[in-house]
Structure formats: C-alpha cells, structure tokens
Amino acid sequence: MKTTEYMTIAEAAELLHVSKQKVASIIKSGELKVIELGPRSRRIPKAGFEEYIKNKTT
C-alpha cells in the first residue's frame, strides 16, 4: 500500500491540536512549507511537517 506524501491543512491542524487558521498562520510565518496546487488548494509535505514537529520539540 502506498502512503501519501502530503497532508491537508485540516489534517495538520488535527495532529497539532490547533485550528486550521493557526496552521495557516504557521505557514504564513514560514515555519511550515506548503505546496500550492491551485488558488485554494495547498498541501503540506509530510517530511516538512515532521521537521516542524522535530524543531518545535527540541
């Protein structure tokens, strides 16, 4: 089974226990990278998400 390499903002918010608006703020600050798929479609690379978590916990 192939695993997904990207997650939605909603999925990231759920994992971080914050709102989607907070994740958008983190993205805007540059702490979390995002891939733009269209004007209203963005995905967060899982590797980048894991790096963000690692940096926040150390």
Side-chain angles (χ1 to χ4, degrees):
M1 177 168 41
K2 184 177 179 182
T3 59
T4 309
E5 296 179 32
Y6 302 97
M7 64 176 55
T8 65
I9 290 174
E11 290 169 335
E14 186 175 328
L15 290 170
L16 293 172
H17 302 288
V18 298
S19 68
K20 292 186 291 186
Q21 291 80 11
K22 178 62 178 174
V23 174
S25 175
I26 294 168
I27 291 167
K28 188 174 182 178
S29 75
E31 293 181 79
L32 190 57
K33 303 298 180 204
V34 69
I35 304 293
E36 300 279 343
L37 300 176
R40 294 189 52 155
S41 184
R42 301 182 290 176
R43 296 292 182 271
I44 300 166
K46 284 191 176 178
F49 182 79
E50 292 169 1
E51 182 74 20
Y52 172 78
I53 296 295
K54 180 179 151 194
N55 289 338
K56 284 298 181 184
T57 58
T58 56

